[in-house]
Amino acid sequence: MRIELDEPKCVASGQCVMVAPEVFDQREDDGVAFLLTEEPEPGQLDDVREAVAICPAAAIRLLES
Amino acid sequence: MSPTIGRVLVVGASAAGLAAAETLRREGFEGEVTLVGAEPHPPYDRPPLSKQILAGEWEPERLALRADEHLADLCLDLRLGATATGLDVGAREVRLADGRSVGFDALVIATGVRPRRLPGEGAHVLRTLGDALALRNNIGAGKRLVVVGAGFLGAEAAAVARGLGAEVTVLEPAPVPLAHAVGAEVGAVLAQAHLDHGVDLRTGVSVTSVARGGVQLAGGELIAADEVLVAIGSLPNTEWLEDSALTIDNGVVCDEYCAAAPGVYAAGDVARWHNPLFGESMRIEHRTNAAEQGMAAARNLLSQGAPKPFAPVPYFWSDQYDMKIQAFGYLRGHEEIAVVEGSLAERRFLAAYRTGDRVAGVLGVGVSPKALRPWRQAIAAQAPWSSVAG
């Protein structure tokens, strides 16, 4: 599975970082999210799906690689 | 023990309803899920309506909360343009405006809110995509826009309209905008931002009606406008539940598990629930709460034997002019504010909010959003005020 982050949509809430800190982080200056990995491990998928669901900007998608 | 659930009905197809439906599937529910939405559009996002959509930066397609193929994967009975008109809890049935009924074993109510209005015709409100497009076509350069209400929505719309070159007047009944939500000190900062950007902000004025060519003030004065936006708050969509046995009190009253009755849950803007983290009954009209509560309601619906209290730290953001405002916690009813970083005068600060002897909230303007996160942890941990400020 592959994560797609629509950066211009990101509102810097940091919700993704809080539920999946191994996969997402935020830029220091404006808080916009970035990926620590584009292809998460199988064990991280539940957290990534939670991040997709909780993102208040609907900026994260999980796609079949 | 609870009966087996075969059919779940979710009424309301915006952020909360979608989150509930999606969570049911993620949790492995394989029964029928019917998602009923009053608007004709597939679930779409509302925060950009008063930002990128109003500014003309985005086209409506960008608002889709989920791609079509993802929605299809959820195998929902998706009924759009369908308005719920009644609920019979005993018979496990929701009536729709077209006369049909939908049965359920468990129900999630996520019908949201609608804008409050003023007497008189011809004013805009801003809740739906249609509302936003109607307003955006009429607030270009040289237009005179009067915004009634300096809350988040009114402030964001005023900022966008100024950016487009409109002449903007904002009328607010309170002495300071958003004082109840963010405190008088921060409200004064937001007021100054309006003034610095050329908005004619008038506080302490009461608008009685929308009139031909403007709005009427309580004293009789007419404020002239080409377009009027009424942004004076919202009303929960609960009328369709009046004959149900549910308790309605400025929202659907729920317990700490988001349950309004056995097998009946509410989520999002329409839900009033007991948040054990703050020990208060609250109804939150913020985007993140809609998703979080929809997810929580769905999980509790499926795990009726062992529900989890829904105890979130609320979060909101607002974009006004060059400011990004972010806040965690429950700021209403706070007793003290401490600026813990930056300064109000620079419009770059982090402010902590005290309620009782604990830190109840934090709000940042122009600071790194990451700086708010330790504060969120402190709020979630019910940290005493003395440990972080004061």
Side-chain angles (χ1 to χ4, degrees), chain A residues 6 8-15 17-18 25-32 46 49-58 60-61 63, chain B residues 19 22-23 26 45 47 52 58 62-67 69 287-288 291-292 295 299 315 317 324 326 328 367-370 373 376-377:
Chain A
D6 189 342
K9 269 191 171 179
C10 177
V11 298
S13 73
Q15 299 285 100
V17 186
M18 285 182 267
D25 199 354
Q26 284 177 280
R27 295 198 298 235
E28 287 296 333
D29 55 345
D30 60 7
V32 167
D46 277 352
R49 291 197 178 95
E50 189 82 358
V52 170
I54 215 166
C55 172
I60 308 167
R61 292 177 69 185
L63 306 166
Chain B
E22 196 173 57
T23 301
R26 278 175 55 216
D45 210 12
Q52 293 92 342
W58 288 8
R62 280 212 87 180
L63 298 182
L65 281 174
R66 295 292 178 263
E69 62 270 22
R287 173 64 179 81
T288 42
E292 289 178 347
M295 292 162 69
R299 286 180 172 139
Y315 166 82
W317 82 96
K324 177 175 275 292
Q326 291 191 300
F328 284 103
V367 295
S368 169
K370 283 181 98 165
R373 247 194 275 150
R376 181 191 183 277
Q377 305 305 343

Side-chain angles (χ1 to χ4, degrees), chain B residues 282-306:
Chain B
M282 51 181 75
R283 186 172 70 75
I284 304 272
E285 294 180 3
H286 298 320
R287 173 64 179 81
T288 42
N289 190 68
E292 289 178 347
Q293 197 164 19
M295 292 162 69
R299 286 180 172 139
N300 283 342
L301 181 161
L302 292 176
S303 60
Q304 290 177 352

Side-chain angles (χ1 to χ4, degrees), chain B residues 225-280:
Chain B
D226 298 311
E227 302 292 336
V228 175
L229 171 64
V230 175
I232 54 174
S234 305
L235 299 167
N237 290 321
T238 53
E239 287 73 10
W240 67 287
L241 300 168
E242 270 168 11
D243 293 330
S244 73
L246 302 184
T247 305
I248 307 299
D249 179 11
N250 182 22
V252 178
V253 177
C254 300
D255 62 16
E256 66 201 274
Y257 307 106
C258 310
V264 177
Y265 296 80
D269 295 2
V270 77
R272 168 171 295 284
W273 93 107
H274 180 80
N275 184 341
L277 183 58
F278 296 88
E280 281 197 51

